[in-house]
Amino acid sequence: MNFSTFNYLVMKHIASENNSDNTTSNASYSNTMTLACNKIIIPHELFLTIGLLSLLENILVVLAIVKNRNLHSPMYYFICCLAVSDMLVSVSNVVETMFMLLIDQGVLVVAFNIIRNMDNIIDMMICSSVVSSLSFLGTITADRYITIFYALRYHSIMTTQRAVAIIIAIWVASTLSSTLFITYYKNNAVLICLITFFLFMLILMATMYLHMFTLAHLHAKRITTFYKNRRQNQATSMKGAVTLLILLGVFLICWGPFFLHLTLIVTCPKNPHCLCFFNHFNLFLILIICNSFIDPIIYAFRSQELRKTLKELLLCFW
């Protein structure tokens, strides 16, 4: 059996839905459709390789931000936490894949109850990762919004103390929500809350980005007359906004299919076409892990200061 991240939880939820209502006609047709849909099988080795690479990348990002005092600002604190969220995905993937490889090779024999408990812990890590990632993306978006439209008051609005308070609140909320998600996985309301949170954050961030990109140019023109260096500061703020927009786009591409998967579990758990879509679950998992792998590349590509520090770290390790 191929145990993948969230796979056990999702299968349990579908099974509980199917047990509540047995319709023989639907079952026979569903079986036919399921057989017609080939399940995508992805080697454990690929999960492990991408997981290890993304883990190393995100560790380097965290170390670079800690090392360079020029990166000690609220925005980079949030980016550091976003990297930690990606690390949760990487760690859970690496640990689970290694266990599965050892079990498949007969090297490790583990009772089913232990596997189930381990899978629940990994599911909590993944759920905490997605909630915290969305929250930190939204926080960084708000930070860029304040930088552009309230530049003269930015340091009084976004203080280090407030940034730390926001970070603590997000991690506490992410941990609690992931615990509730695993505990009450049979209740559709839990899935609906997670999907609603995903859509709400996307709409909120899209609204802020739309406001930023439509009014920032006009805003810059108005105050360039009074502040000579404002154009450069505005360009820097907009570059940060573009970077976060890229991160949001990558997040949507990588996590979107998984949230569609959750939506279909709620809306049509027994529909043959939905069951066919469920067979592509491993592909959605690879996309999630790829998100953790791509994010550090975006940080390094878009930030010269971070890129410089990463090079110094690599030279030290070399």
Side-chain angles (χ1 to χ4, degrees):
M1 184 176 181
N2 182 17
F3 285 92
S4 303
T5 307
F6 259 129
N7 199 24
Y8 180 72
L9 178 64
V10 172
M11 292 303 110
K12 284 193 295 185
H13 188 92
I14 295 175
S16 65
E17 289 291 327
N18 287 337
N19 288 336
S20 64
D21 181 21
N22 294 321
T23 307
T24 55
S25 59
N26 285 344
S28 60
Y29 184 58
S30 298
N31 290 334
T32 304
M33 289 297 297
T34 303
L35 290 174
C37 297
N38 294 324
K39 185 175 182 179
I40 297 177
I41 299 176
I42 297 176
H44 288 305
E45 292 78 7
L46 182 59
F47 278 103
L48 184 60
T49 301
I50 299 177
L52 284 172
L53 289 174
S54 62
L55 179 59
L56 291 174
E57 285 181 344
N58 284 288
I59 289 175
L60 283 174
V61 169
V62 172
L63 290 176
I65 294 174
V66 172
K67 180 179 182 294
N68 192 337
R69 289 186 177 275
N70 293 331
L71 301 177
H72 290 185
S73 64
M75 186 189 77
Y76 280 102
Y77 293 154
F78 298 142
I79 288 178
C80 183
C81 290
L82 188 59
V84 173
S85 296
D86 288 336
M87 285 171 60
L88 288 177
V89 175
S90 302
V91 169
S92 62
N93 170 65
V94 169
V95 170
E96 186 177 43
T97 304
M98 288 182 66
F99 264 92
M100 293 307 104
L101 285 172
L102 292 174
I103 291 172
D104 288 347
Q105 297 298 322
V107 178
L108 184 65
V109 178
V110 183
F112 178 76
N113 287 338
I114 296 177
I115 294 177
R116 183 175 61 185
N117 292 333
M118 182 189 72
D119 203 80
N120 284 336
I121 294 173
I122 290 173
D123 289 340
M124 286 180 62
M125 293 174 66
I126 297 297
C127 184
S128 179
S129 173
V130 64
V131 174
S132 60
S133 293
L134 269 173
S135 299
F136 284 119
L137 281 172
T139 303
I140 299 171
T141 303
D143 179 83
R144 292 299 87 196
Y145 187 91
I146 296 170
T147 303
I148 292 172
F149 292 102
Y150 303 95
L152 301 179
R153 297 169 51 201
Y154 173 78
H155 293 291
S156 62
I157 296 174
M158 188 59 71
T159 62
T160 301
Q161 291 79 3
R162 286 179 181 172
V164 171
I166 291 170
I167 289 170
I168 293 173
I170 288 175
W171 282 119
V172 170
S174 300
T175 303
L176 290 176
S177 62
S178 62
T179 303
L180 290 173
F181 183 84
I182 302 304
T183 305
Y184 300 102
Y185 66 87
K186 291 183 179 181
N187 195 333
N188 277 345
V190 175
L191 292 180
I192 293 172
C193 287
L194 187 59
I195 296 167
T196 302
F197 175 70
F198 177 75
L199 294 176
F200 171 77
M201 291 302 297
L202 287 183
I203 293 172
L204 178 64
M205 286 185 280
T207 302
M208 283 193 285
Y209 276 119
L210 182 63
H211 194 202
M212 278 190 282
F213 287 111
T214 53
L215 298 183
H217 183 65
L218 178 61
H219 187 69
K221 278 186 175 181
R222 287 178 178 175
I223 61 177
T224 299
T225 307
F226 302 99
Y227 298 95
K228 293 180 180 179
N229 294 327
R230 177 59 186 171
R231 185 177 297 275
Q232 182 179 354
N233 294 337
Q234 185 72 21
T236 302
S237 299
M238 284 307 300
K239 183 178 180 181
V242 171
T243 300
L244 269 299
L245 184 61
I246 295 172
L247 287 172
L248 179 59
V250 171
F251 184 90
L252 182 59
I253 292 171
C254 294
W255 281 91
F258 174 74
F259 276 94
L260 177 59
H261 186 100
L262 294 184
T263 304
L264 294 180
I265 290 176
V266 174
T267 57
C268 57
K270 299 172 219 173
N271 185 283
H273 299 289
C274 295
L275 291 173
C276 185
F277 185 82
F278 296 154
N279 281 336
H280 304 320
F281 190 71
N282 281 338
L283 178 61
F284 309 153
L285 294 178
I286 279 291
L287 287 174
I288 291 172
I289 299 169
C290 283
N291 180 71
S292 302
F293 175 76
I294 294 170
D295 279 353
I297 298 174
I298 297 173
Y299 306 148
F301 180 75
R302 298 291 299 180
S303 173
Q304 183 178 359
E305 188 72 29
L306 183 57
R307 187 165 61 248
K308 176 184 174 183
T309 310
L310 287 172
K311 286 180 181 179
E312 292 175 357
L313 284 173
L314 289 173
L315 289 174
C316 289
F317 291 142
W318 187 262

